[in-house]
């Protein structure tokens, strides 16, 4: 399969970014330094090009009904301008994808999905669309820039009439932005650092990108690669589809019970209700290294005697904490914060401890 | 990128220098550190062991990746650079100097003869 490029590929290349394959795209993984980029977002403001993400518009009288059928959170609680985190369960007890649901109006919604799942999600939702909902895949026509960090609102405020400072978390506005019309400015993100996600049509994207860099200059804005995006999300304990949640993982095991709402009927609801009531045999937990070492995806987790009790799904050295952190599935008996675990790092058992998420408190 | 002429290089992006006392110092190249990005941990568990040429003597962990470290020659691993245990970023900032990785007692000092020269390594990495 040939790799796709984001519309601003040439801009990232010119700025000297290291480009790697990710989710079927050639993506900037690092512009200068992962650690510097990470700290820039935690302490100031940075901008990510995450245009590989997918966007679907669902329009028509049956749009809400379709979303309610395919997603586990309760989209009927949304109002115009409100965003919701949710996931698409499959019919085998696993997860098709996790996503954001935007209510544009009572009869129009935007779904934002993971790049690697665009086609799978499209087919899955289409299969459950009984015909009356107009679905449009606008992924190829849209850029998505995440402007993240404590100084994001200040960095962007000169570019838009929207009141960024007072925008509620998980709300959005369609507004003018850096000379472009109908830009969606959304108070969302994947870093835990605060900030906004900007959805703009390809034709206006480069101008908007440059305007953001210019307006953010006094605040020290820098372009940030996917390397830092991963360490930032992991410090918050946010799931990554493909690592921590997959077609095979139960959302209840994954800790997605909070977005599994039995106030409506959806695919897999009965199974998940039962899991919630009866408990699950394994759980996704966060753990911090006590011994020196870095957990990585697929390393085995064991008890003190070396009996395997689970597996790491994501891991890194936390730039903020200066120690190894990870997510992994463990037998429920080992899932309580404070429990000791051992990570098999190159055939050595290194001590770690289950902790409450997020790893880095806001 | 910088590839000092007095060092010998491997295809696995290590460099080696034979010291006056007959021991050898091993590190990773400027190219390697740049490709890896920020290095956060050097894990060497083979101090005191005698290893063959090309054997894994440890791992270098960057933010996103783990890579094996290969011994350029046959010999005994004498010590790890204590400074990089506390400050692994030295491997990025000074890969041929304060960021050296291990000291080795070579089984035979002439082994570096079949390693790459700086020019040959430069060509290998297209620099």
């Amino acid at each position: 399969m040939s790799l796709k490029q984001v519309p601003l590929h040439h801009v990232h290349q010119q700025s000297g970014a290291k480009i790697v394959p990710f989710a079927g795209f050639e993506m900037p993984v690092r512009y200068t330094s992962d650690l510097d980029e990470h700290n820039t977002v935690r302490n100031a403001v940075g901008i990510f090009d995450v245009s590989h993400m997918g966007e679907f518009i669902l329009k028509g009288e049956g749009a809400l009904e379709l979303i309610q059928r395919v997603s586990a959170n309760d989209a009927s609680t949304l109002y115009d301008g409100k965003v919701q985190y949710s996931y698409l369960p499959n019919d085998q007890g696993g997860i098709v994808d996790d996503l954001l649901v935007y209510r544009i109006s009572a009869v129009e919604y935007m779904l934002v999905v993971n790049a690697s799942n665009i086609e799978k999600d499209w087919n899955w939702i289409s299969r459950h669309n009984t015909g009356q909902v107009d679905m449009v895949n606008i992924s190829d026509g849209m850029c998505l820039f995440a402007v993240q960090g404590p100084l994001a609102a200040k960095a962007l405020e000169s570019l838009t009439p929207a009141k960024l400072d007072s925008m509620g978390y998980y709300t959005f506005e369609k507004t003018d932005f850096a000379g472009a019309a109908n830009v969606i400015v959304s108070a969302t993100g994947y870093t835990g650092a605060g900030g906004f996600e900007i959805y703009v049509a390809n034709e206006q994207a480069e101008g908007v990108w440059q305007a953001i860099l210019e307006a953010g200059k006094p605040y020290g804005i820098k372009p940030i690669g996917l390397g830092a995006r991963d360490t930032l999300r992991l410090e918050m304990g946010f799931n990554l589809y493909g690592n921590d949640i997959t077609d095979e993982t139960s959302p209840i095991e994954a800790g997605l019970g909070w977005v599994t709402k039995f106030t409506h009927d959806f695919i897999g609801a009965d199974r998940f209700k039962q899991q919630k009531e009866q408990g699950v045999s394994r759980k996704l937990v966060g753990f911090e290294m006590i011994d020196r070492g870095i957990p990585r995806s697929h390393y085995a987790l064991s008890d003190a005697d070396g009996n395997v009790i689970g597996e790491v799904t994501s891991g890194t050295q936390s730039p903020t904490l200066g120690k190894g952190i990870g997510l992994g599935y463990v037998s429920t008996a080992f899932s309580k914060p404070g429990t000791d675990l051992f990570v098999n790092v190159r055939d050595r058992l290194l001590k770690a401890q289950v902790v409450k998420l997020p790893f880095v408190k806001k | 990128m910088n590839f000092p002429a007095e060092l010998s290089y491997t295809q696995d992006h290590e460099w080696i220098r034979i010291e006056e006392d007959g021991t050898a110092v091993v590190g990773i190249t400027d190219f390697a550190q740049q490709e890896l990005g920020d290095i956060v941990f050097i894990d060497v568990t083979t101090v005191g062991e005698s290893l063959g040429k090309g054997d894994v003597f440890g791992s270098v962990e960057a933010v996103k990746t783990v890579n094996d470290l290969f011994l350029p020659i046959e010999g005994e691993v004498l010590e790890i650079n204590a400074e990089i245990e506390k400050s692994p970023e030295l491997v990025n900032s000074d890969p041929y100097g304060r960021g050296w990785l291990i000291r080795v007692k070579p089984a035979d000092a002439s082994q570096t003869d079949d390693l790459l020269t700086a020019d040959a390594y430069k060509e290998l990495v297209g620099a």
Side-chain angles (χ1 to χ4, degrees):
Chain A
M1 193 179 77
S2 72
L3 293 171
K4 289 174 90 167
Q5 293 183 348
V6 294
L8 266 56
H9 183 79
H10 60 286
V11 174
H12 308 311
Q13 259 185 334
Q14 279 160 22
S15 62
K18 182 173 168 62
I19 311 274
V20 300
F22 180 83
F25 284 78
E26 291 184 52
M27 296 297 291
V29 68
R30 175 200 318 142
Y31 292 83
T32 55
S33 140
D34 297 311
L35 295 177
D36 179 61
E37 289 168 30
H38 179 105
N39 293 331
T40 296
V41 172
R42 276 277 173 268
N43 303 323
V45 57
I47 177 168
F48 305 78
D49 185 347
V50 284
S51 302
H52 60 316
M53 301 287 288
E55 298 88 13
F56 305 153
I57 298 289
L58 271 56
K59 223 185 208 168
E61 288 300 330
L64 176 61
E65 199 184 315
L66 175 59
I67 292 165
Q68 290 288 70
R69 178 86 195 117
V70 296
S71 75
N73 206 340
D74 188 350
S76 73
T77 63
L78 289 171
Y79 47 86
D80 294 353
K82 181 67 182 163
V83 191
Q84 178 178 78
Y85 177 67
S86 188
Y87 66 91
L88 308 174
N90 64 27
D91 51 12
Q92 305 294 315
I95 301 170
V96 178
D97 200 5
D98 63 342
L99 78 166
L100 294 179
V101 179
Y102 286 70
R103 177 166 145 161
I104 295 165
S105 77
V107 292
E108 184 176 355
Y109 295 80
M110 179 170 75
L111 309 185
V112 181
V113 304
N114 284 299
S116 52
N117 292 334
I118 291 173
E119 198 183 335
K120 180 176 71 162
D121 293 356
W122 178 263
N123 293 339
W124 179 255
I125 299 167
S126 299
R127 210 176 107 189
H128 293 90
N129 181 6
T130 42
Q132 71 277 46
V133 180
D134 184 19
M135 289 174 56
V136 190
N137 181 354
I138 59 169
S139 306
D140 286 344
M142 295 284 282
C143 281
L144 172 55
F145 304 143
V147 182
Q148 300 280 295
L151 303 182
K154 279 200 154 56
L156 300 181
E157 67 186 359
S158 66
L159 298 177
T160 177
K163 295 269 173 293
L164 299 177
D165 242 351
S166 54
M167 257 178 91
Y169 191 48
Y170 270 66
T171 66
F172 71 96
E173 278 183 45
K174 225 179 219 188
T175 180
D176 293 339
F177 190 95
N182 289 317
V183 173
I184 290 182
V185 177
S186 167
T188 48
Y190 193 48
T191 64
F196 302 88
E197 294 182 299
I198 317 282
Y199 299 83
V200 55
N202 287 352
E203 299 72 45
Q204 276 129 359
E206 189 164 348
V208 165
W209 174 271
Q210 301 298 2
I212 293 171
L213 283 179
E214 193 58 37
K217 224 178 231 170
Y219 305 95
I221 199 168
K222 290 176 187 170
I224 312 293
L226 292 186
R229 186 169 167 85
D230 193 52
T231 51
L232 287 157
R233 72 94 191 168
L234 194 48
E235 284 188 345
M236 302 312 295
F238 295 154
N239 289 335
L240 173 62
Y241 192 90
N243 279 41
D244 313 304
I245 53 176
T246 70
D247 290 304
E248 270 93 46
T249 57
S250 151
I252 305 305
E253 293 175 352
L256 294 179
W258 66 284
V259 286
T260 306
K261 298 285 169 60
F262 301 111
T263 45
H264 66 110
D265 190 29
F266 60 91
I267 295 160
D270 290 346
R271 187 196 303 250
F272 301 142
K273 201 169 185 178
Q274 200 180 12
Q275 289 181 356
K276 228 175 175 177
E277 283 164 7
Q278 298 179 352
V280 286
S281 61
R282 59 172 202 164
K283 282 184 178 168
L284 186 67
V285 297
F287 59 88
E288 284 181 7
M289 296 306 296
I290 294 171
D291 286 339
R292 191 152 180 215
I294 304 171
R296 304 284 183 178
S297 178
H298 302 303
Y299 286 6
L301 294 167
S302 66
D303 63 13
D305 300 324
N307 302 307
V308 174
I309 51 131
E311 189 179 89
V312 178
T313 52
S314 287
T316 192
Q317 169 91 348
S318 160
T320 305
L321 302 175
K323 58 179 159 186
I325 58 171
L327 297 176
Y329 285 94
V330 296
S331 305
T332 303
F334 292 86
S335 63
K336 250 174 90 177
T339 308
D340 285 343
L341 297 177
F342 293 80
V343 186
N344 187 327
V345 180
R346 296 180 283 279
D347 294 326
R348 277 171 295 149
L349 295 184
L350 303 183
K351 194 171 180 178
Q353 190 170 62
V354 177
V355 297
K356 261 184 107 155
L357 297 172
F359 295 104
V360 173
K361 320 288 181 221
K362 275 182 234 183
Chain B
M1 267 182 286
N2 172 26
F3 305 106
E6 66 273 21
L7 305 179
S8 301
Y9 298 83
T10 71
Q11 307 220 353
D12 302 311
H13 312 291
E14 282 94 14
W15 58 261
I16 183 165
R17 182 179 65 230
I18 306 289
E19 306 273 84
E20 277 175 19
D21 64 2
T23 64
V25 173
V26 174
I28 64 168
T29 66
D30 197 12
F31 173 81
Q33 70 79 18
Q34 211 164 86
E35 284 296 303
L36 292 168
D38 292 310
I39 290 161
V40 292
F41 188 35
I42 302 288
D43 195 10
V44 174
T45 53
T46 52
V47 174
E49 291 180 25
S50 289
L51 301 176
K53 181 174 178 158
D55 284 357
V56 173
F57 69 86
S59 303
V60 51
E61 301 223 25
V63 172
K64 288 290 289 174
T65 55
V66 191
N67 283 276
D68 286 336
L69 293 164
F70 301 97
L71 201 61
I73 56 167
E74 183 188 349
E76 181 191 347
V77 181
L78 297 174
E79 62 168 333
I80 177 172
N81 176 5
E83 219 182 349
I84 58 165
E85 293 198 282
K86 283 183 224 84
S87 307
E89 65 276 11
L90 288 171
V91 181
N92 290 116
S93 60
D94 193 6
Y96 305 115
R98 288 175 67 197
W100 63 276
L101 303 183
I102 57 166
R103 185 179 296 277
V104 181
K105 186 179 169 191
D108 163 11
S110 67
Q111 292 179 83
T112 54
D113 294 353
D114 47 352
L115 296 177
L116 302 173
T117 63
D119 283 342
Y121 179 73
K122 221 167 164 173
E123 199 173 325
L124 175 78
V125 300

